[in-house]
Amino acid sequence: MYQHMSNDTYVFSDGFDRLFLEELYSGDTRTAEEIFGTSLAQVELSMQLAEIECRSEDPARLRRVIHHVKPLFGYMGLLSVQDSVQQFEDLCGGERDMAIVRAAFEELRAIVQEALLRARSEQTKLHRYNNRRA
Amino acid sequence: MMLSGVIVEDLQPAADILRRYCQRSGIIEVQGHFLNAEAALEHLAARPPDLLFLDIEMPGISGFELLDRLQQAPQVILTTSKTEYAFDAFQYHVADYLRKPFTYERFLQSVQKLRLAPREADSAPETERIFIKVDGRLQKLERDEILYIESMGDYVRFITPEKKYITHNTIKNIEARVQGMNFMKVHRSYIVNLSSVDDLRDGELIVRGITIPVSKTHRTRVRERLKAV
């Protein structure tokens, strides 16, 4: 079910940083829908690249790919996921043992996959809300 | 007058939001967006903007390397998702450093930090201006149209011959912002445009018929500055 306030203001779902999203988009739900869409597409692409880089022996290359994923979760109000990505990026910056990096990447991948599901659902919710107001 | 801006940013969502913020501000017209620094170089050399929003970590050359290659860098606001570059940013004399993702409020704060005369070296002092945030937008005020500035606690009022503008700020911040613009703090609550002073009396200045108090601690300095004008 969609959560709307009585004046039909869009309310982001539980688990998203509502206050931050409201400050980011200032009620512009069309922009929010668009940014969710482009962010989702870019995260999916970057994660595919990250998987390829994960097979290499160079954590720095993986770090560069992951670096671009990080703020995208911020644009979707998933700041805790952004923090998880930051931690992984830091690990890639200091860790030379790729076995440790790969293990951490598996954990990150699970977090990202779950976050992508939630973000896609929110984008759908935004889309329906915007269509209803059109 | 609009400021021209260029965005160099490899993250499309980041560039999209930034472009919208620029439009919403009403004072920055985005000339273009480039996904990497190499692509931006030619444009920046041919059509230098007033303002460059620049990511640091991008494919190919970095934002800092781009600045190294520019003969004349515009005013720069760095946009990055890392905080580690703050020291380098300081060395490059950038106007501000925005950590992605950032809100519109944070964006406005950053734009307000810009040195107010675009391409300072080419601008005569009389073109100096200040941007203040009024009702969520940035309002441009030319130096010469500001008569005086008055503190109202957490707010500051700019008085011009035509209108009064109230912005959320402190007189201390504003004093720093107008330094070198022929303004002077004459009282803990007043900053006066020295060019607008009509008369100096004992403990008072007269600006367009309005009496402005001058505190004892400022009187000698006010007399000195007015003689110099």
Side-chain angles (χ1 to χ4, degrees):
Chain A
M1 290 296 288
Y2 303 137
Q3 284 178 281
H4 298 306
M5 287 163 57
S6 56
N7 63 357
D8 204 30
T9 303
Y10 187 84
V11 178
F12 287 94
S13 303
D14 290 341
F16 290 84
D17 191 318
R18 286 181 182 143
L19 187 62
F20 180 74
L21 287 171
E22 281 159 14
E23 287 179 356
L24 196 63
Y25 297 114
S26 307
D28 184 352
T29 51
R30 293 200 180 280
T31 295
E33 180 192 342
E34 187 184 319
I35 297 297
F36 265 67
T38 49
S39 295
L40 278 164
Q42 192 131 9
V43 170
E44 285 163 357
L45 178 65
S46 294
M47 287 305 287
Q48 287 172 19
L49 291 173
E51 295 212 18
I52 294 167
E53 295 298 350
C54 206
R55 290 179 211 130
S56 77
E57 294 300 320
D58 186 357
R61 287 172 55 172
L62 181 56
R63 193 202 70 78
R64 278 196 289 274
V65 175
I66 287 297
H67 172 74
H68 288 92
V69 172
K70 185 177 53 184
L72 297 168
F73 286 105
Y75 292 117
M76 297 188 285
L78 295 167
L79 302 183
S80 62
V81 181
Q82 184 176 304
D83 290 342
S84 298
V85 179
Q86 175 70 67
Q87 286 169 21
F88 181 74
E89 186 184 335
D90 292 344
L91 175 76
C92 291
E95 182 59 63
R96 304 309 305 168
D97 185 343
M98 273 308 284
I100 293 173
V101 172
R102 285 187 191 111
F105 182 72
E106 286 307 310
E107 288 177 25
L108 179 70
R109 184 161 57 178
I111 292 169
V112 167
Q113 291 307 323
E114 189 274 336
L116 286 175
L117 283 176
R118 282 195 285 148
R120 273 190 213 104
S121 171
E122 194 66 22
Q123 192 207 8
T124 304
K125 178 178 152 183
L126 279 161
H127 181 69
R128 290 184 182 159
Y129 175 83
N130 288 331
N131 276 356
R132 196 160 55 78
R133 287 166 59 92
Chain B
M1 189 196 82
M2 294 280 278
L3 297 174
S4 57
V6 163
I7 299 169
V8 183
E9 169 64 72
D10 64 336
L11 270 185
Q12 192 63 49
D16 289 344
I17 284 200
L18 188 48
R19 190 185 279 273
R20 282 175 170 81
Y21 285 175
C22 288
Q23 284 170 350
R24 189 173 158 194
S25 76
I27 61 154
I28 300 169
E29 185 176 29
V30 177
Q31 282 180 355
H33 164 222
F34 298 90
L35 288 165
N36 60 64
E38 282 100 337
L41 265 171
E42 192 178 340
H43 176 93
L44 292 171
R47 287 183 66 197
D50 297 317
L51 173 61
L52 175 62
F53 292 100
L54 181 63
D55 188 12
I56 299 172
E57 279 198 39
M58 292 177 285
I61 66 172
S62 73
F64 289 131
E65 287 172 295
L66 170 69
L67 292 179
D68 287 337
R69 293 187 193 187
L70 288 175
Q71 296 263 329
Q72 188 181 359
Q75 296 189 82
V76 177
I77 294 177
L78 289 178
T79 59
T80 177
S81 53
K82 290 184 89 169
T83 52
E84 289 91 314
Y85 297 116
F87 180 71
D88 290 327
F90 176 74
Q91 290 188 312
Y92 278 89
H93 304 291
V94 302
D96 202 7
Y97 184 97
L98 286 170
R99 189 171 180 212
K100 292 179 288 194
F102 47 86
T103 64
Y104 181 64
E105 286 299 309
R106 181 67 189 86
F107 164 84
L108 277 187
Q109 285 174 9
S110 188
V111 172
Q112 285 177 307
K113 286 182 185 175
L114 296 172
R115 298 297 297 271
L116 300 167
R119 285 191 289 283
E120 225 177 352
D122 301 337
S123 301
E126 58 270 23
T127 63
E128 287 177 3
R129 60 191 63 86
I130 185 169
F131 289 96
I132 59 171
K133 193 164 69 177
V134 179
D135 299 330
R137 291 181 65 86
L138 289 178
Q139 171 70 43
K140 182 185 75 175
L141 294 177
E142 297 291 344
R143 179 193 64 178
D144 292 342
E145 69 178 311
I146 301 168
L147 299 176
Y148 64 93
I149 304 161
E150 181 181 5
S151 170
M152 300 168 67
D154 292 337
Y155 292 83
V156 173
R157 185 159 61 175
F158 285 73
I159 287 83
T160 73
E162 304 298 325
K163 211 171 166 183
K164 294 169 182 170
Y165 300 91
I166 295 175
T167 186
H168 187 254
N169 213 321
T170 65
I171 199 85
K172 189 178 176 185
N173 281 343
I174 298 297
E175 184 185 11
R177 291 284 312 281
V178 299
Q179 201 171 20
M181 291 173 69
N182 205 31
F183 283 83
M184 185 179 179
K185 191 173 182 184
V186 299
H187 183 275
R188 62 186 161 84
S189 299
Y190 291 92
I191 294 170
V192 170
N193 184 343
L194 295 177
S195 303
S196 69
V197 173
D198 297 319
D199 200 358
L200 168 63
R201 296 175 191 168
D202 189 27
E204 294 173 346
L205 288 174
I206 308 299
V207 176
R208 302 282 177 101
I210 300 162
T211 303
I212 309 288
V214 180
S215 66
K216 283 183 182 173
T217 53
H218 290 95
R219 279 177 202 171
T220 306
R221 183 87 180 103
V222 169
R223 283 193 203 98
E224 288 171 4
R225 289 284 303 271
L226 283 172
K227 279 178 197 167
V229 170

